[in-house]
Coordinates of all heavy atoms in Angstrom, one line a residue:
M1 N 0.8 -1.2 0.0 CA 0.0 0.0 0.0 C 0.9 1.3 0.0 O 0.4 2.3 -0.4 CB -0.9 0.0 1.2 CG -2.1 -1.0 1.1 SD -3.1 -0.9 -0.4 CE -3.9 0.6 -0.2
S2 N 2.1 1.1 0.4 CA 3.0 2.3 0.5 C 3.3 2.9 -0.9 O 3.7 4.0 -1.1 CB 4.3 2.0 1.2 OG 5.1 1.1 0.5
K3 N 3.1 2.1 -2.0 CA 3.4 2.5 -3.3 C 2.2 2.7 -4.2 O 2.3 2.8 -5.4 CB 4.3 1.4 -4.0 CG 5.6 1.2 -3.3 CD 6.6 2.3 -3.5 CE 7.9 1.9 -2.9 NZ 8.9 2.9 -2.8
I4 N 1.0 2.7 -3.6 CA -0.2 2.8 -4.3 C -0.3 4.0 -5.3 O -0.8 3.9 -6.4 CB -1.5 2.7 -3.4 CG1 -2.8 2.5 -4.2 CG2 -1.6 3.9 -2.5 CD1 -2.9 1.1 -4.8
D5 N 0.2 5.1 -4.8 CA 0.1 6.3 -5.6 C 1.0 6.1 -6.9 O 0.6 6.6 -8.0 CB 0.6 7.5 -4.9 CG -0.4 8.0 -3.8 OD1 -1.6 7.7 -3.9 OD2 0.0 8.6 -2.8
F6 N 2.1 5.5 -6.7 CA 3.0 5.2 -7.9 C 2.3 4.4 -8.9 O 2.3 4.6 -10.1 CB 4.3 4.6 -7.4 CG 5.1 4.0 -8.5 CD1 5.9 4.9 -9.4 CD2 5.2 2.7 -8.8 CE1 6.6 4.4 -10.4 CE2 5.9 2.1 -9.8 CZ 6.6 3.0 -10.7
Y7 N 1.7 3.3 -8.4 CA 1.0 2.4 -9.4 C -0.2 3.0 -10.0 O -0.4 2.8 -11.2 CB 0.7 1.1 -8.6 CG 1.9 0.2 -8.3 CD1 2.3 0.0 -7.0 CD2 2.7 -0.3 -9.3 CE1 3.4 -0.7 -6.7 CE2 3.8 -1.1 -9.0 CZ 4.1 -1.3 -7.7 OH 5.2 -2.0 -7.4
Q8 N -0.9 3.8 -9.3 CA -2.0 4.5 -9.9 C -1.6 5.5 -11.0 O -2.2 5.6 -12.0 CB -2.9 5.2 -8.8 CG -3.7 4.3 -8.0 CD -4.4 5.0 -6.9 OE1 -4.0 6.0 -6.4 NE2 -5.5 4.4 -6.4
D9 N -0.5 6.2 -10.7 CA 0.1 7.1 -11.7 C 0.6 6.4 -12.9 O 0.4 6.8 -14.1 CB 1.3 7.9 -11.1 CG 0.8 9.0 -10.1 OD1 -0.4 9.3 -10.1 OD2 1.7 9.4 -9.3
L10 N 1.2 5.2 -12.7 CA 1.7 4.4 -13.8 C 0.5 3.9 -14.7 O 0.6 4.0 -15.9 CB 2.4 3.2 -13.3 CG 3.1 2.3 -14.3 CD1 4.2 3.1 -15.1 CD2 3.8 1.1 -13.6
V11 N -0.6 3.4 -14.1 CA -1.7 3.0 -14.9 C -2.3 4.2 -15.6 O -2.7 4.1 -16.8 CB -2.8 2.3 -14.0 CG1 -4.1 2.1 -14.7 CG2 -2.2 1.0 -13.5
N12 N -2.5 5.3 -14.9 CA -3.0 6.5 -15.6 C -2.2 7.0 -16.7 O -2.7 7.5 -17.7 CB -3.2 7.6 -14.5 CG -4.4 7.3 -13.6 OD1 -5.3 6.6 -13.9 ND2 -4.3 7.9 -12.4
Y13 N -0.9 6.8 -16.6 CA 0.0 7.2 -17.7 C -0.3 6.5 -19.0 O -0.3 7.1 -20.1 CB 1.5 7.0 -17.3 CG 2.5 7.4 -18.3 CD1 2.8 8.8 -18.4 CD2 3.1 6.5 -19.1 CE1 3.7 9.2 -19.4 CE2 4.0 6.9 -20.1 CZ 4.3 8.3 -20.2 OH 5.2 8.7 -21.1
F14 N -0.6 5.2 -18.9 CA -1.0 4.5 -20.2 C -2.3 5.0 -20.8 O -2.4 5.1 -22.0 CB -1.1 3.0 -19.8 CG 0.2 2.3 -19.9 CD1 0.9 2.0 -18.7 CD2 0.8 1.9 -21.0 CE1 2.1 1.3 -18.7 CE2 2.0 1.2 -21.1 CZ 2.6 1.0 -19.9
F15 N -3.2 5.4 -19.9 CA -4.5 5.9 -20.5 C -4.4 7.3 -20.9 O -5.2 7.7 -21.8 CB -5.6 5.7 -19.4 CG -6.0 4.3 -19.2 CD1 -5.6 3.6 -18.0 CD2 -6.7 3.6 -20.1 CE1 -5.9 2.3 -17.8 CE2 -7.0 2.2 -19.9 CZ -6.6 1.6 -18.8
D16 N -3.5 8.1 -20.4 CA -3.4 9.5 -20.8 C -2.4 9.8 -21.9 O -2.3 10.9 -22.4 CB -2.9 10.3 -19.5 CG -3.9 10.3 -18.4 OD1 -5.1 10.0 -18.7 OD2 -3.5 10.6 -17.3
T17 N -1.8 8.8 -22.5 CA -0.8 8.9 -23.6 C -1.2 8.0 -24.7 O -2.2 7.2 -24.6 CB 0.6 8.6 -23.2 OG1 0.7 7.2 -22.8 CG2 1.1 9.5 -22.0
D18 N -0.5 8.1 -25.8 CA -0.8 7.2 -26.9 C 0.0 5.8 -26.9 O 0.0 5.1 -27.8 CB -0.5 7.9 -28.3 CG 0.9 8.2 -28.5 OD1 1.7 8.1 -27.5 OD2 1.3 8.6 -29.6
L19 N 0.6 5.6 -25.7 CA 1.3 4.3 -25.5 C 0.3 3.1 -25.5 O -0.9 3.3 -25.1 CB 2.0 4.3 -24.2 CG 3.3 5.1 -24.1 CD1 3.8 5.0 -22.7 CD2 4.3 4.6 -25.0
R20 N 0.7 2.0 -26.0 CA -0.2 0.8 -26.0 C 0.6 -0.3 -25.3 O 1.8 -0.4 -25.4 CB -0.5 0.4 -27.4 CG -1.2 1.4 -28.2 CD -2.7 1.6 -27.6 NE -3.4 2.6 -28.4 CZ -3.6 3.8 -27.9 NH1 -3.1 4.2 -26.8 NH2 -4.3 4.7 -28.7
F21 N -0.2 -1.1 -24.6 CA 0.4 -2.2 -23.8 C -0.4 -3.5 -24.2 O -1.6 -3.4 -24.2 CB 0.3 -1.9 -22.3 CG 0.7 -3.0 -21.5 CD1 2.1 -3.2 -21.2 CD2 -0.2 -4.0 -20.9 CE1 2.5 -4.2 -20.4 CE2 0.3 -5.0 -20.1 CZ 1.6 -5.1 -19.8
R22 N 0.3 -4.5 -24.5 CA -0.3 -5.8 -24.8 C 0.4 -6.9 -24.0 O 1.6 -6.8 -23.8 CB -0.2 -6.1 -26.3 CG -0.9 -5.2 -27.1 CD -1.0 -5.6 -28.6 NE -2.0 -6.7 -28.6 CZ -1.8 -7.8 -29.4 NH1 -0.8 -7.9 -30.2 NH2 -2.7 -8.7 -29.4
A23 N -0.3 -7.9 -23.5 CA 0.3 -8.9 -22.8 C -0.5 -10.2 -23.0 O -1.7 -10.2 -23.4 CB 0.3 -8.6 -21.3
I24 N 0.1 -11.3 -22.8 CA -0.6 -12.6 -22.8 C -0.2 -13.3 -21.5 O 0.9 -13.4 -21.1 CB -0.1 -13.5 -24.0 CG1 -0.4 -12.9 -25.3 CG2 -0.6 -14.9 -23.9 CD1 0.1 -13.6 -26.5
G25 N -1.3 -13.8 -20.8 CA -1.1 -14.5 -19.6 C -1.4 -16.0 -19.8 O -2.5 -16.3 -20.4
V26 N -0.6 -16.9 -19.4 CA -0.8 -18.3 -19.6 C -0.5 -19.0 -18.3 O 0.6 -18.8 -17.8 CB 0.1 -18.9 -20.8 CG1 -0.1 -20.3 -21.0 CG2 -0.2 -18.1 -22.1
E27 N -1.4 -19.9 -17.9 CA -1.1 -20.8 -16.8 C -0.1 -21.8 -17.2 O -0.2 -22.5 -18.3 CB -2.3 -21.4 -16.3 CG -3.2 -20.5 -15.5 CD -4.4 -21.2 -14.8 OE1 -4.1 -22.3 -14.3 OE2 -5.5 -20.7 -14.9
K28 N 1.0 -22.0 -16.5 CA 2.1 -22.9 -16.9 C 1.6 -24.3 -17.1 O 2.1 -25.0 -18.0 CB 3.2 -22.8 -15.8 CG 4.5 -23.5 -16.3 CD 5.6 -23.3 -15.3 CE 6.9 -23.9 -15.8 NZ 8.0 -23.7 -14.9
N29 N 0.6 -24.8 -16.3 CA 0.2 -26.1 -16.5 C -0.7 -26.3 -17.8 O -1.1 -27.4 -18.1 CB -0.5 -26.7 -15.3 CG -1.8 -25.9 -15.0 OD1 -2.1 -24.9 -15.6 ND2 -2.5 -26.3 -13.9
G30 N -1.0 -25.2 -18.4 CA -1.8 -25.2 -19.6 C -1.0 -25.1 -20.9 O -1.5 -25.1 -22.0
I31 N 0.3 -25.1 -20.8 CA 1.2 -25.0 -21.9 C 1.3 -26.3 -22.6 O 1.7 -27.3 -21.9 CB 2.6 -24.4 -21.5 CG1 2.5 -23.0 -21.0 CG2 3.6 -24.5 -22.7 CD1 3.7 -22.5 -20.4
P32 N 1.1 -26.4 -23.9 CA 1.1 -27.7 -24.6 C 2.5 -28.2 -24.9 O 2.8 -28.4 -26.1 CB 0.3 -27.5 -25.8 CG 0.5 -26.0 -26.1 CD 0.7 -25.4 -24.8
C33 N 3.3 -28.4 -23.9 CA 4.7 -28.8 -24.2 C 4.7 -30.3 -24.4 O 4.0 -31.1 -23.8 CB 5.6 -28.5 -23.0 SG 5.8 -26.7 -22.8
G34 N 5.6 -30.7 -25.3 CA 5.8 -32.1 -25.6 C 4.9 -32.6 -26.7 O 5.2 -33.7 -27.3
E35 N 3.8 -31.9 -27.1 CA 3.0 -32.4 -28.1 C 3.6 -32.4 -29.5 O 3.4 -33.3 -30.3 CB 1.7 -31.5 -28.2 CG 0.8 -31.7 -27.0 CD -0.5 -30.9 -27.1 OE1 -0.8 -30.5 -28.2 OE2 -1.1 -30.7 -26.1
Y36 N 4.5 -31.4 -29.7 CA 5.2 -31.4 -31.0 C 6.7 -31.3 -30.8 O 7.4 -30.7 -31.6 CB 4.7 -30.1 -31.8 CG 3.2 -30.1 -32.0 CD1 2.4 -29.3 -31.2 CD2 2.6 -30.9 -32.9 CE1 1.0 -29.3 -31.3 CE2 1.2 -30.9 -33.0 CZ 0.4 -30.1 -32.2 OH -0.9 -30.1 -32.4
G37 N 7.2 -31.9 -29.8 CA 8.6 -31.9 -29.5 C 9.1 -30.5 -29.0 O 10.3 -30.2 -29.1
E38 N 8.2 -29.7 -28.5 CA 8.6 -28.3 -28.1 C 8.6 -28.3 -26.5 O 8.0 -29.1 -25.9 CB 7.6 -27.3 -28.6 CG 7.5 -27.3 -30.1 CD 6.4 -26.3 -30.5 OE1 5.6 -25.9 -29.7 OE2 6.3 -26.1 -31.7
G39 N 9.4 -27.3 -26.0 CA 9.4 -27.1 -24.6 C 8.9 -25.7 -24.3 O 8.3 -25.0 -25.1
Y40 N 9.0 -25.3 -23.0 CA 8.5 -24.0 -22.6 C 9.2 -22.9 -23.3 O 8.5 -21.9 -23.6 CB 8.8 -23.9 -21.1 CG 8.0 -24.8 -20.2 CD1 8.5 -25.8 -19.5 CD2 6.6 -24.7 -20.2 CE1 7.8 -26.7 -18.7 CE2 5.8 -25.5 -19.4 CZ 6.4 -26.5 -18.7 OH 5.7 -27.4 -17.9
D41 N 10.5 -23.0 -23.6 CA 11.2 -21.9 -24.3 C 10.6 -21.7 -25.7 O 10.3 -20.5 -26.1 CB 12.7 -22.1 -24.4 CG 13.4 -21.9 -23.1 OD1 12.8 -21.3 -22.2 OD2 14.5 -22.4 -22.9
E42 N 10.4 -22.7 -26.4 CA 9.8 -22.6 -27.7 C 8.4 -22.0 -27.7 O 8.1 -21.2 -28.5 CB 9.8 -24.0 -28.4 CG 9.4 -24.0 -29.8 CD 10.4 -23.4 -30.8 OE1 11.6 -23.4 -30.4 OE2 10.1 -23.0 -31.9
F43 N 7.6 -22.4 -26.7 CA 6.3 -21.9 -26.6 C 6.4 -20.4 -26.2 O 5.6 -19.6 -26.8 CB 5.5 -22.6 -25.4 CG 4.2 -22.1 -25.2 CD1 3.1 -22.4 -26.0 CD2 4.0 -21.2 -24.1 CE1 1.8 -21.9 -25.8 CE2 2.7 -20.7 -23.9 CZ 1.6 -21.0 -24.7
Y44 N 7.3 -20.0 -25.4 CA 7.5 -18.6 -25.1 C 7.7 -17.7 -26.3 O 7.1 -16.7 -26.5 CB 8.6 -18.4 -24.1 CG 9.0 -17.0 -23.8 CD1 8.4 -16.3 -22.8 CD2 10.1 -16.4 -24.5 CE1 8.7 -14.9 -22.6 CE2 10.5 -15.1 -24.2 CZ 9.8 -14.4 -23.3 OH 10.1 -13.1 -23.0
Y45 N 8.7 -18.1 -27.1 CA 9.0 -17.3 -28.3 C 7.9 -17.3 -29.3 O 7.7 -16.3 -30.0 CB 10.3 -17.8 -28.9 CG 11.5 -17.5 -28.0 CD1 12.1 -18.4 -27.3 CD2 11.9 -16.1 -27.8 CE1 13.2 -18.1 -26.4 CE2 12.9 -15.8 -26.9 CZ 13.5 -16.8 -26.2 OH 14.5 -16.5 -25.3
K46 N 7.2 -18.4 -29.5 CA 6.1 -18.4 -30.4 C 4.9 -17.6 -29.9 O 4.3 -16.9 -30.7 CB 5.6 -19.9 -30.6 CG 6.5 -20.7 -31.5 CD 5.9 -22.1 -31.8 CE 6.8 -22.8 -32.8 NZ 6.2 -24.1 -33.1
T47 N 4.7 -17.5 -28.7 CA 3.7 -16.7 -28.1 C 4.1 -15.2 -28.3 O 3.2 -14.4 -28.6 CB 3.5 -17.0 -26.6 OG1 3.1 -18.4 -26.5 CG2 2.4 -16.2 -26.0
A48 N 5.3 -14.9 -28.0 CA 5.8 -13.5 -28.2 C 5.6 -13.1 -29.7 O 5.2 -11.9 -30.0 CB 7.2 -13.3 -27.8
Y49 N 5.9 -13.9 -30.6 CA 5.7 -13.7 -32.0 C 4.2 -13.4 -32.3 O 3.9 -12.4 -33.0 CB 6.2 -14.8 -32.9 CG 5.8 -14.7 -34.3 CD1 6.6 -13.9 -35.2 CD2 4.7 -15.4 -34.8 CE1 6.2 -13.8 -36.5 CE2 4.4 -15.2 -36.2 CZ 5.1 -14.4 -37.0 OH 4.8 -14.3 -38.3
Q50 N 3.3 -14.2 -31.8 CA 1.9 -14.0 -32.0 C 1.4 -12.7 -31.4 O 0.6 -12.0 -32.0 CB 1.1 -15.2 -31.5 CG 1.3 -16.4 -32.3 CD 0.8 -16.3 -33.7 OE1 -0.2 -15.7 -34.0 NE2 1.5 -17.0 -34.6
L51 N 1.9 -12.3 -30.3 CA 1.6 -11.1 -29.6 C 1.9 -9.9 -30.5 O 1.1 -9.0 -30.6 CB 2.3 -11.0 -28.3 CG 2.0 -9.8 -27.4 CD1 0.6 -9.8 -26.9 CD2 3.0 -9.7 -26.3
L52 N 3.1 -9.9 -31.1 CA 3.5 -8.8 -31.9 C 3.0 -8.8 -33.4 O 2.7 -7.8 -34.0 CB 5.1 -8.8 -31.9 CG 5.7 -8.6 -30.6 CD1 7.2 -8.8 -30.7 CD2 5.4 -7.2 -30.0
N53 N 3.0 -10.0 -34.0 CA 2.7 -10.1 -35.4 C 1.4 -9.5 -35.8 O 1.4 -8.9 -36.9 CB 2.7 -11.6 -35.8 CG 2.6 -11.8 -37.2 OD1 3.2 -11.2 -38.0 ND2 1.7 -12.7 -37.6
H54 N 0.4 -9.5 -35.1 CA -0.9 -9.1 -35.5 C -1.1 -7.6 -35.3 O -2.2 -7.0 -35.7 CB -2.0 -9.9 -34.8 CG -1.9 -11.3 -35.1 ND1 -2.3 -11.8 -36.4 CD2 -1.6 -12.4 -34.4 CE1 -2.1 -13.1 -36.4 NE2 -1.7 -13.5 -35.2
K55 N -0.2 -6.9 -34.7 CA -0.4 -5.5 -34.4 C 0.7 -4.6 -34.9 O 0.7 -3.4 -34.8 CB -0.4 -5.3 -32.8 CG -1.7 -5.8 -32.2 CD -2.8 -4.9 -32.6 CE -4.1 -5.4 -31.9 NZ -5.3 -4.6 -32.3
I56 N 1.7 -5.1 -35.6 CA 2.8 -4.3 -36.2 C 2.5 -3.9 -37.6 O 2.1 -4.7 -38.4 CB 4.1 -5.1 -36.1 CG1 4.5 -5.2 -34.6 CG2 5.2 -4.5 -36.9 CD1 5.8 -5.9 -34.4
S57 N 2.7 -2.6 -37.9 CA 2.6 -2.1 -39.2 C 3.9 -1.7 -39.7 O 4.8 -1.2 -39.0 CB 1.7 -0.8 -39.2 OG 1.8 -0.1 -40.4
T58 N 4.2 -2.0 -41.0 CA 5.5 -1.7 -41.6 C 5.7 -0.2 -41.8 O 6.8 0.3 -42.1 CB 5.7 -2.4 -42.9 OG1 4.6 -2.1 -43.8 CG2 5.7 -3.9 -42.7
L59 N 4.6 0.6 -41.6 CA 4.7 2.0 -41.7 C 5.1 2.7 -40.5 O 5.4 3.9 -40.5 CB 3.3 2.6 -42.2 CG 2.8 2.0 -43.5 CD1 1.4 2.5 -43.8 CD2 3.7 2.2 -44.7
D60 N 5.2 2.0 -39.4 CA 5.5 2.6 -38.1 C 6.8 2.1 -37.5 O 7.4 1.1 -38.0 CB 4.4 2.3 -37.1 CG 3.1 3.0 -37.5 OD1 3.1 4.2 -37.9 OD2 2.0 2.4 -37.3
H61 N 7.3 2.8 -36.5 CA 8.5 2.3 -35.7 C 8.1 1.9 -34.3 O 7.2 2.5 -33.7 CB 9.5 3.5 -35.7 CG 10.1 3.8 -37.0 ND1 9.4 4.6 -37.9 CD2 11.3 3.5 -37.6 CE1 10.2 4.7 -39.0 NE2 11.3 4.0 -38.8
Y62 N 8.8 0.9 -33.8 CA 8.4 0.4 -32.5 C 9.6 0.2 -31.6 O 10.7 -0.1 -32.1 CB 7.7 -0.9 -32.6 CG 6.4 -0.9 -33.5 CD1 6.5 -1.1 -34.8 CD2 5.2 -0.6 -32.9 CE1 5.4 -1.1 -35.6 CE2 4.1 -0.6 -33.7 CZ 4.2 -0.8 -35.0 OH 3.0 -0.7 -35.8
N63 N 9.4 0.3 -30.3 CA 10.4 -0.2 -29.3 C 9.8 -1.4 -28.7 O 8.7 -1.3 -28.1 CB 10.7 0.8 -28.3 CG 11.4 2.0 -28.8 OD1 12.2 1.9 -29.7 ND2 11.2 3.2 -28.3
V64 N 10.4 -2.6 -28.8 CA 9.9 -3.8 -28.2 C 10.8 -4.3 -27.2 O 12.0 -4.4 -27.4 CB 9.7 -4.9 -29.3 CG1 9.2 -6.2 -28.7 CG2 8.7 -4.4 -30.4
Y65 N 10.3 -4.5 -26.0 CA 11.2 -5.0 -24.9 C 10.7 -6.4 -24.4 O 9.6 -6.5 -24.0 CB 11.1 -4.0 -23.7 CG 11.5 -2.6 -24.1 CD1 10.5 -1.7 -24.4 CD2 12.8 -2.2 -24.1 CE1 10.9 -0.4 -24.8 CE2 13.2 -0.9 -24.5 CZ 12.2 0.0 -24.8 OH 12.6 1.2 -25.2
L66 N 11.5 -7.3 -24.6 CA 11.2 -8.7 -24.2 C 11.9 -9.1 -22.9 O 13.0 -8.6 -22.7 CB 11.6 -9.7 -25.3 CG 10.9 -9.5 -26.7 CD1 11.6 -10.5 -27.7 CD2 9.5 -9.8 -26.6
D67 N 11.2 -9.9 -22.2 CA 11.7 -10.4 -20.9 C 12.9 -11.3 -21.2 O 12.9 -12.1 -22.1 CB 10.6 -11.2 -20.2 CG 11.1 -11.6 -18.8 OD1 12.0 -11.0 -18.2 OD2 10.5 -12.6 -18.4
K68 N 14.0 -11.1 -20.5 CA 15.2 -12.0 -20.7 C 14.9 -13.3 -20.1 O 14.8 -13.4 -18.9 CB 16.4 -11.3 -20.1 CG 17.7 -12.0 -20.4 CD 18.9 -11.4 -19.7 CE 19.4 -10.2 -20.4 NZ 20.6 -9.7 -19.9
K69 N 14.8 -14.3 -20.9 CA 14.5 -15.7 -20.4 C 15.7 -16.4 -19.7 O 15.5 -16.9 -18.7 CB 14.0 -16.6 -21.6 CG 12.7 -16.2 -22.1 CD 11.6 -16.8 -21.3 CE 11.6 -18.3 -21.3 NZ 11.0 -18.9 -20.2
D70 N 16.8 -16.3 -20.4 CA 18.0 -17.0 -19.8 C 19.2 -16.4 -20.5 O 19.1 -15.5 -21.3 CB 17.9 -18.5 -20.1 CG 17.6 -18.9 -21.5 OD1 18.1 -18.2 -22.4 OD2 16.8 -19.8 -21.7
T71 N 20.4 -17.0 -20.3 CA 21.6 -16.4 -20.8 C 21.7 -16.7 -22.3 O 22.5 -16.0 -23.0 CB 22.8 -17.1 -20.2 OG1 22.8 -18.5 -20.3 CG2 22.9 -16.7 -18.7
L72 N 21.0 -17.6 -22.9 CA 21.0 -17.9 -24.3 C 19.9 -17.2 -25.1 O 19.8 -17.3 -26.3 CB 21.0 -19.4 -24.6 CG 22.2 -20.2 -24.0 CD1 22.0 -21.6 -24.3 CD2 23.5 -19.7 -24.6
G73 N 19.0 -16.5 -24.4 CA 17.8 -15.9 -25.0 C 18.1 -14.9 -26.1 O 17.4 -14.7 -27.0
Q74 N 19.3 -14.2 -25.9 CA 19.6 -13.2 -26.9 C 19.7 -13.8 -28.3 O 19.4 -13.2 -29.3 CB 20.8 -12.4 -26.6 CG 22.1 -13.2 -26.5 CD 23.3 -12.4 -26.0 OE1 23.2 -11.2 -25.8 NE2 24.4 -13.1 -25.9
Y75 N 20.2 -15.0 -28.4 CA 20.4 -15.6 -29.7 C 19.1 -16.1 -30.3 O 18.9 -16.0 -31.5 CB 21.3 -16.9 -29.6 CG 22.7 -16.5 -29.0 CD1 23.0 -16.9 -27.7 CD2 23.6 -15.8 -29.8 CE1 24.3 -16.5 -27.2 CE2 24.8 -15.4 -29.3 CZ 25.2 -15.8 -28.0 OH 26.4 -15.4 -27.5
K76 N 18.1 -16.5 -29.5 CA 16.8 -16.9 -30.0 C 16.0 -15.7 -30.4 O 15.2 -15.8 -31.4 CB 16.1 -17.7 -28.9 CG 16.7 -19.0 -28.6 CD 15.9 -19.7 -27.5 CE 16.6 -21.0 -27.2 NZ 15.9 -21.8 -26.2
V77 N 16.1 -14.6 -29.7 CA 15.3 -13.4 -30.1 C 15.8 -12.9 -31.4 O 15.1 -12.5 -32.3 CB 15.5 -12.3 -29.0 CG1 14.9 -11.0 -29.5 CG2 14.8 -12.7 -27.8

């Protein structure tokens, strides 16, 4: 509760500017790992691709910040 003003300001900032925020939430036990020889990492990168692919226009410029998964993540991205 000591940071409630900060979090309210942060949420309001998204609504008061032209910034856009998208996210996908997935329960870990619902990830279809192993069905096609894939693991959690493969699912993570495919999900990130789907999140971005449908909203990106080649006419615009974007800053995309991905969560660092592990020490080898930079090569996969």
Side-chain angles (χ1 to χ4, degrees):
M1 289 306 293
S2 66
K3 303 283 186 191
I4 191 72
D5 290 336
F6 168 76
Y7 290 113
Q8 287 176 333
D9 289 344
L10 186 61
V11 169
N12 289 333
Y13 182 76
F14 277 99
F15 290 105
D16 294 339
T17 66
D18 63 349
L19 287 175
R20 299 292 179 258
F21 177 83
R22 296 189 74 217
I24 294 177
V26 178
E27 288 189 38
K28 192 172 183 178
N29 62 358
I31 297 174
C33 293
E35 290 183 18
Y36 305 102
E38 299 173 352
Y40 292 112
D41 286 343
E42 186 72 20
F43 179 81
Y44 171 83
Y45 291 107
K46 285 185 175 185
T47 303
Y49 171 80
Q50 290 298 323
L51 180 71
L52 298 171
N53 185 46
H54 299 289
K55 289 292 183 177
I56 288 183
S57 168
T58 57
L59 302 175
D60 295 319
H61 292 79
Y62 302 91
N63 292 326
V64 176
Y65 302 96
L66 297 175
D67 186 25
K68 187 184 276 187
K69 289 277 298 156
D70 51 39
T71 56
L72 300 176
Q74 65 185 356
Y75 300 109
K76 292 180 182 180
V77 171

